Amino acid sequence: MALFELEQHYENGQPEYHVPTFRECAEEDIDLAFFEANEHAALWKVNGKETLVIFESDDLRDRSAHWEAGAKQNFDTALYVRNTVLHIRVKDYGPNPQNGKYLIMENEKGRKRKYSITKCEEEDGIYRMILERVKSP
């Protein structure tokens, strides 16, 4: 029981003030802080559609050997695997992509890169995609 009751009257048809929830504040912060072009995000074309994305990491390593017919096969193919973690808003990308689907990334200079999606997770309206690109030196 409160010590006093507060009754508010709104005039001129003004809507009642709505205190934002934590989730609403977090959703707004995603757009205003993380997906801000001058801060974390960069403008890329993803499958032909221009959008803001965030790259988390980018590493290059030798393509590992594989086992075939009980023997380790490692042919000198001079191939390397580049792994990148990409963050993109669900509303910008669309439905959750399947693993193995290809993604074409194009930067502002028109340079295109083709990646394979190895894993995709969605949390709070953002996809976290682990991308792989096989390349030769």
Side-chain angles (χ1 to χ4, degrees), residues 24-98:
E24 291 169 340
C25 291
E27 288 173 359
E28 189 173 324
D29 283 347
I30 288 171
D31 289 335
L32 296 177
F34 296 106
F35 282 94
E36 171 60 39
N38 296 328
E39 297 293 332
H40 299 297
L43 195 59
W44 283 74
K45 281 188 181 177
V46 179
N47 291 339
K49 182 180 176 185
E50 200 167 85
T51 186
L52 290 170
V53 298
I54 300 170
F55 289 100
E56 185 178 306
S57 65
D58 200 359
D59 68 343
L60 184 69
R61 59 189 158 183
D62 288 324
R63 189 175 180 115
S64 61
H66 64 279
W67 287 90
E68 188 173 304
K72 191 172 185 180
Q73 304 293 316
N74 189 1
F75 304 105
D76 190 25
T77 58
L79 294 177
Y80 295 88
V81 175
R82 181 173 295 273
N83 288 320
T84 302
V85 178
L86 176 75
H87 298 273
I88 186 169
R89 291 179 283 206
V90 171
K91 65 182 179 182
D92 292 338
Y93 186 81
N96 193 344
Q98 298 294 321

